[in-house]
Amino acid sequence: MAEAIEPVVWHVDLAGESETAALARDIAELVGANDVVTLSGDLGAGKSTFARSLVRQLIEDERAEVPSPTFTLMQIYDGPKFPIVHADLYRIKSPDELVELGWEEAADNALVLVEWPDRAGTALTPDRLDIAFYIDASRPLDFRRAIVTGHGAWAEKLQRANAIRNLLQVADWADAKRTFMQGDASTRAYERLIKPDGSRAVLMISPPRPDGPPVRFGKSYSAIARLAEDIVPFIAMAKAITEQGLSAPRIYASDIENGLAIIEDLGTEPMIGVDGPDPERYAEAVRAIAHLHHSDLPREVAADDSYLHRIPPYDLDAMLIEVELLTEWYASHVAKVNLASGAKAMFVNLWKGTLREIITSPTTWVLRDYHSPNLLWLDGRAGIERVGVIDFQDCVIGPAAYDVASLLQDARITVPDELELKLLGQYARARKEADPAFDMTAFVRAYAIMGAQRATKILGIFARLDKRDGKSQYLAHIPRIEHYLSKGLKHPALADLKSWYKTHLPHIVGD
């Protein structure tokens, strides 16, 4: 029997109607389709005022008429994201009457906002948000006290909302307008914060990664692949990267326990133009990563006085479990090939033999996602500081070639072959100038291997995002990544693997 989730309670003092409206704005950030919000408490304590403010927020019309549904029982509004059902059940004598109202049909895929919820009986889901308003006779007439309680699945959501509210207040960002920013393929979320004076920041919401099922050695995929489990690596690496002379977001404030941080807004200027990669900007990104690679970098970095982050190794187990995503997801779902167990075992053994030389080569920070979606152009800065880096929490200690391949074989934007070779030469020159002993031949070999490893992994990841997570937009990038992999397999270091691909996935290798 599943353990019951304890409700989470949030006490809010409301000095007047403006603060009731502010509470409605906070709640509007949390609710969605199929959520239930119940309103209770004293008569005349502000339930209708709150409901009106919440509905106006959700339909994005501050002047909309939002009459009380006392006599109509239900009012339905078409919001831009989902319908809103505002119900007042005061005149309901029995929950059976809800059937006659068409309650279930109206509530389907809608936000349900209910006054007098006790009249609904068991018709309301136990996973709900209850907001109770009370009058305090000892305080001014317009003062109200709200008790917000998250039941069931709402408990965790409310706890995070309360933590966000507290962080914004402590950091002096409580008056900022919050706007959702497009997220990525991860569970992280971001909001842009804009104060009335125009100051900007980004709220990063990065809850601890739930541990997945064990897949090998009693460990989850994320543990074996050395993926960040919480926000500590991001905060620590942001500070460490800045200390090395690059531009990562400054950390204005954080709540590590709840996975929250207010960080510098580096803007939205991309590294690419309408015709693809901007050669000048990509060249600066090459210089920036070369600067890191010839620096003496620490293996432990501090997030704050209490949290020390030890950068994990990009070891053989991590690299192998990544390439196996191709046989697990891409082969059957995209290529429509059912691989026999023997073919899969041979694939792993070939990669194991190929990667062994990489594991024993010199290592550095591998930021791991050093490519166009995670790089911004900061025109007001100089030199390599013009390259803003925003995704690095999965940083590992591994081969320098990986991040160079990540940039020059960008999964989401085509880097022409000529530009790739030119940039690769610029990287080599930068490394040679800093260290005359830099071995370009060995680096090109590592570049081919890590480029092929990365392309193999991403083919599996993008197939998984489509089949498992319903994110079909990633399939558009598959042909580009197949092209990168085909190029990499031409290097002599990958001859045996090329034979495997040609046998089992011949469309990748081509003629």
Side-chain angles (χ1 to χ4, degrees), residues 417-459:
D417 293 350
E418 302 81 7
L419 181 59
E420 179 187 2
L421 287 174
K422 181 180 178 181
L423 293 170
L424 195 59
Q426 291 175 344
Y427 173 86
R429 284 194 296 275
R431 291 295 306 275
K432 198 77 173 178
E433 289 172 3
D435 178 10
F438 175 73
D439 187 340
M440 183 58 184
T441 301
F443 180 80
V444 169
R445 182 181 178 91
Y447 178 83
I449 293 172
M450 293 317 301
Q453 188 270 352
R454 181 175 177 274
T456 297
K457 170 181 70 173
I458 294 176
L459 287 174

Side-chain angles (χ1 to χ4, degrees), residues 27 84 101 175 193 238 254 258 271 349 356 443 486 510:
I27 298 301
I84 301 102
L101 286 174
D175 60 344
L193 306 175
S254 63
N258 287 293
M271 300 290 290
N349 286 331
R356 279 204 175 99
F443 180 80
S486 177

Side-chain angles (χ1 to χ4, degrees), residues 38-177:
T38 57
L39 304 179
S40 56
D42 296 336
L43 284 171
K47 294 187 290 294
S48 296
T49 299
F50 173 86
R52 187 178 303 112
S53 294
L54 181 60
V55 170
R56 286 173 174 170
Q57 283 289 321
L58 294 173
I59 65 175
E60 299 178 358
D61 184 353
E62 289 294 335
R63 298 184 178 182
E65 288 292 328
V66 184
S68 171
T70 301
F71 296 102
T72 58
L73 298 183
M74 282 198 309
Q75 292 283 137
I76 301 176
Y77 302 88
D78 288 323
K81 298 178 181 177
F82 46 80
I84 301 102
V85 176
H86 181 197
D88 186 327
L89 306 184
Y90 177 73
R91 295 193 299 120
I92 292 289
K93 304 300 181 185
S94 166
D96 295 339
E97 296 179 43
L98 294 175
V99 177
E100 300 175 13
L101 286 174
W103 174 269
E104 289 189 4
E105 293 81 358
D108 185 43
N109 207 35
L111 169 71
V112 179
L113 184 61
V114 186
E115 299 184 48
W116 296 90
D118 55 304
R119 305 295 175 92
T122 59
L124 295 180
T125 172
D127 296 319
R128 65 185 186 279
L129 182 70
D130 180 69
I131 309 176
F133 296 88
Y134 297 100
I135 297 170
D136 188 338
S138 66
R139 306 292 290 271
L141 289 176
D142 59 352
F143 176 87
R144 299 291 186 268
R145 177 168 287 112
I147 300 178
V148 185
T149 307
H151 297 273
W154 263 97
E156 181 179 349
K157 190 185 294 189
L158 185 61
Q159 180 176 340
R160 184 173 302 124
N162 193 23
I164 291 172
R165 180 185 177 95
N166 290 339
L167 181 63
L168 293 174
Q169 288 177 338
V170 169
D172 195 27
W173 284 90
D175 60 344
K177 179 181 178 182

Side-chain angles (χ1 to χ4, degrees), residues 383-503:
I384 61 174
E385 290 186 355
R386 291 182 293 176
V387 180
V389 189
I390 60 172
D391 192 320
F392 37 73
Q393 63 281 333
D394 292 328
C395 178
V396 286
I397 301 296
Y402 185 94
D403 277 347
V404 183
S406 180
L407 178 67
L408 305 189
Q409 297 183 5
D410 194 314
R412 292 170 176 81
I413 188 76
T414 298
V415 180
D417 293 350
E418 302 81 7
L419 181 59
E420 179 187 2
L421 287 174
K422 181 180 178 181
L423 293 170
L424 195 59
Q426 291 175 344
Y427 173 86
R429 284 194 296 275
R431 291 295 306 275
K432 198 77 173 178
E433 289 172 3
D435 178 10
F438 175 73
D439 187 340
M440 183 58 184
T441 301
F443 180 80
V444 169
R445 182 181 178 91
Y447 178 83
I449 293 172
M450 293 317 301
Q453 188 270 352
R454 181 175 177 274
T456 297
K457 170 181 70 173
I458 294 176
L459 287 174
I461 289 175
F462 284 4
R464 183 177 66 183
L465 283 168
D466 174 54
K467 184 171 178 62
R468 187 190 70 183
D469 304 331
K471 298 179 179 180
S472 60
Q473 66 269 27
Y474 289 93
L475 293 182
H477 305 301
I478 292 289
R480 179 183 304 110
I481 303 161
E482 291 173 337
H483 171 68
Y484 292 146
L485 177 55
S486 177
K487 285 198 305 181
L489 290 172
K490 293 177 182 178
H491 193 282
L494 293 157
D496 290 341
L497 272 164
K498 180 180 178 181
S499 295
W500 185 95
Y501 282 90
K502 191 168 185 177
T503 299

Side-chain angles (χ1 to χ4, degrees), residues 252-264:
Y252 296 143
S254 63
D255 176 352
I256 290 177
E257 185 176 342
N258 287 293
L260 304 172
I262 299 175
I263 65 176
E264 181 182 8

